[in-house]
Amino acid sequence: MSENDLKLLIADDDDGDRKQMRRTIKHIYPTALVEEALSIDDAIAASRNNEFDCAIIDYRMPGTNVLDGIKILQKSHPHMPLIMVTGQGDELIASEAFKAGISDYLPKSMITHENLQRIITSVQEKATLQRKVDEQREALTNYAHILSHDLRAPASQIISFHEMINTYVENGDKEKIKAYLRYSKDAAQHIMDLIEALSIYNSIDDQDCIHMAYEAMSDIVIDSIRFQNQAIKERKASVTYEKNLPQVKCNKAQIIQLFRNLISNGIKYNKEAMPCVHIDFEDKGNLWQFSVKDNGIGIPKENADSIFKMFSRLHNNEDYEGSGIGLATCKKIIQHHKGSIWLASKEGRGTTFFFTLPKDIPTQK
Ligand code: ADP
């Protein structure tokens, strides 16, 4: 990422120290976006809607214990580098802070342009490497899971269906043969769908940030809806969108994929006679916030975060067909756009997925 694209968070309750830190950062990175938080709770709230490249956190702040807050930040943003700033006498706390999840620390007395720049560069390099390692580890785990579970089940079904077909061939029961051929085809289709979903997931690459351009969101939404024509017809669904959708800097193919997944889920996980999906947006200053709202079956509150994990499903294939890769793909797409994705839902009363896209996304990594 170029230095100009940096997005930093400063958390410090002392007005003077915070302003001084902002001045130092602006001196090093004149066009960096700097947000300020007055407590660790503010910092946690700010990072909920923003993906910061680095957070600089004062050790002494009122409210929630800063080390506890750091653990929360580390858990929710495992790849966001956290630099802790310590005052005189706080140095001993450093080892505790590393255990809590900081990437590095800097005593206030040592804050100079050079030291701060060196430490920010170094924690960012470490975070980028760690992200790559984690992504590769996750990809390997996913493949292992797919091979040992998701592909094995339909493949062994196909084998047993074929054994049944053999039996019915001997009996000459054409109807049964036709039925088992159909089951067999469905199982093979499920394998194909899994492979397709997985290859889409794997094709989303950091490098695609280079292929970002200003795109009319209405064109993206229209294209995404077009992909759902069959489901819309079959379920007599209505998919609508706000008329004045903005121009947004993004990777068009990826955002189409994201809308496709959210719209198709809105129609699929829906028992209404007329499933309705509506796409809206809000201008949130330095980011656009989009929403995809449905009148479907809803998602229990306790699953609102875990549902974005790979293979996370709340239903089995008998009730609703799926792979559990769709929302993980959405999350990966949004992470690569440096935005956030979350949902609000009431069981039985529909779900709204929200995602943000920064107005100015870095063009280079
Ligand atoms: P898939 O639909 O292939 O199972 P997803 O990752 O898209 O995979 O979704 C994961 C799970 O989240 C689904 O299995 C379903 O239980 C739940 N889900 C996703 N979208 C919705 C929605 N709009 N309404 C209700 N449940 C949903």
Side-chain angles (χ1 to χ4, degrees), residues 265-266 268-269 294 297-299 307 312-315 321-328 351 353:
N265 280 352
K268 178 164 64 165
Y269 298 103
D294 65 53
I297 58 174
I299 294 176
I307 207 70
S312 176
R313 299 206 73 213
L314 305 180
H315 306 95
E321 284 234 338
S323 61
I325 302 177
L327 290 181
T351 305
F353 283 89

Side-chain angles (χ1 to χ4, degrees), residues 253-265:
Q254 288 186 3
I255 301 298
I256 289 178
Q257 186 63 50
L258 170 109
F259 273 115
R260 279 179 67 177
N261 292 358
L262 296 181
I263 296 169
S264 81
N265 280 352

Side-chain angles (χ1 to χ4, degrees), residues 275-295:
C276 295
V277 178
H278 183 68
I279 294 152
D280 206 343
F281 78 102
E282 266 183 62
D283 185 342
K284 292 275 183 187
N286 58 353
L287 28 97
W288 295 111
Q289 179 178 301
F290 294 92
S291 59
V292 180
K293 181 179 182 187
D294 65 53
N295 60 343

Side-chain angles (χ1 to χ4, degrees), residues 15 40 117 122 124 129 188 217 279-281 302 364:
D15 289 349
I40 193 72
Q117 183 165 25
S122 128
Q124 276 201 291
L129 272 179
M217 207 51 145
I279 294 152
D280 206 343
F281 78 102
E302 61 270 23
Q364 283 187 345

